[in-house]
Amino acid sequence: AQSVTQLGSHVSVSEGALVLLRCNYSSSVPPYLFWYVQYPNQGLQLLLKYTSAATLVKGINGFEAEFKKSETSFHLTKPSAHMSDAAEYFCAVRAFSGSARQLTFGSGTQLTVLP
Amino acid sequence: EAGVAQSPRYKIIEKRQSVAFWCNPISGHATLYWYQQILGQGPKLLIQFQNNGVVDDSQLPKDRFSAERLKGVDSTLKIQPAKLEDSAVYLCASSLIRDRVQETQYFGPGTRLLVL
């Protein structure tokens, strides 16, 4: 079985401050990990993904995430928040093993950026 | 390149009524997914198609939900009869290849369903 836990359903940061969104996963086989962003009334858009190559993954819009196997984490960061980053962020896990091929999402973190 | 199209964008119905959602995936994408996203939760997979065949429908409530993908292109998801707990956003996604676990799924804007 696989699962994702996103710590903090709501995160607020000031514009220009560091963004840190936390994601921990559980998987019985080596996972593939994804971060998606969802803007209001829109579908999900892929920010970045980890596919067992480099542990530090760079994505779009200045976001990056680091895969830490020892901590079973895949936290999303951005050095300087912009107002346009306000959205809901979802971490997801997928494993290459039978039914675990399903993309399993966390419950999401709503990011608010304060002026 | 056009994205995943869904219609309608919004639907309000009364419980026990029927409703259908339509999805047109990105051209050339063999795999199509339907997800249910309840308010405050992440999307949950309902059904996955590879071309016009069902790959995974283990989480589809088959007593009331049905889906088809005739001709392996667009797809329809139906609920009959609807219950209050079906109120959610129904997301359609597509990907180019099924068996690559790292394959990116591209999502449509969703259909927001409210059951009264």
Side-chain angles (χ1 to χ4, degrees), chain B residues 38-72:
Chain B
I38 293 173
L39 187 64
Q41 299 180 20
K44 182 187 80 172
L45 180 69
L46 291 175
I47 189 168
Q48 176 182 340
F49 291 94
Q50 175 74 9
N51 296 311
N52 60 349
V54 175
V55 172
D56 185 351
D57 63 356
S58 58
Q59 298 190 94
L60 186 74
K62 299 180 185 64
D63 58 333
R64 299 184 299 106
F65 286 64
S66 64
E68 59 183 11
R69 191 184 184 197
L70 300 175
K71 301 180 182 178

Side-chain angles (χ1 to χ4, degrees), chain A residues 17-53:
Chain A
L18 171 72
V19 175
L20 170 60
L21 304 182
R22 299 179 186 275
C23 172
N24 288 90
Y25 69 90
S26 171
S27 177
S28 57
V29 296
Y32 291 89
L33 294 157
F34 305 79
W35 275 101
Y36 280 85
V37 61
Q38 188 175 33
Y39 298 102
N41 298 317
Q42 295 187 27
L44 281 73
Q45 179 184 4
L46 181 69
L47 276 177
L48 50 81
K49 59 184 176 182
Y50 167 74
T51 59
S52 75

Side-chain angles (χ1 to χ4, degrees), chain A residues 32 34 36 38 41-46 49 51 88 90 94-96 99 101-108, chain B residues 9-10 33 35 37 40-43 45 56 58-59 91 98-102 104-105 107-109 112:
Chain A
Y32 291 89
F34 305 79
Y36 280 85
Q38 188 175 33
N41 298 317
Q42 295 187 27
L44 281 73
Q45 179 184 4
L46 181 69
K49 59 184 176 182
T51 59
E88 188 152 25
F90 292 93
R94 198 177 192 192
F96 195 76
S99 63
R101 290 186 185 184
Q102 286 186 15
L103 193 58
T104 300
F105 287 88
S107 56
Chain B
R9 292 296 309 276
Y10 305 92
Y33 312 80
Y35 289 87
Q37 185 179 16
Q41 299 180 20
L45 180 69
D56 185 351
S58 58
Q59 298 190 94
L91 295 166
R98 170 209 163 193
D99 283 332
R100 284 174 45 181
V101 178
Q102 66 268 39
T104 298
Q105 294 184 23
F107 285 79
R112 190 174 300 271

Side-chain angles (χ1 to χ4, degrees), chain A residues 3-25:
Chain A
S3 64
V4 170
T5 301
Q6 291 186 240
L7 297 174
S9 58
H10 291 83
V11 170
S12 294
V13 300
S14 298
E15 190 174 19
L18 171 72
V19 175
L20 170 60
L21 304 182
R22 299 179 186 275
C23 172
N24 288 90
Y25 69 90

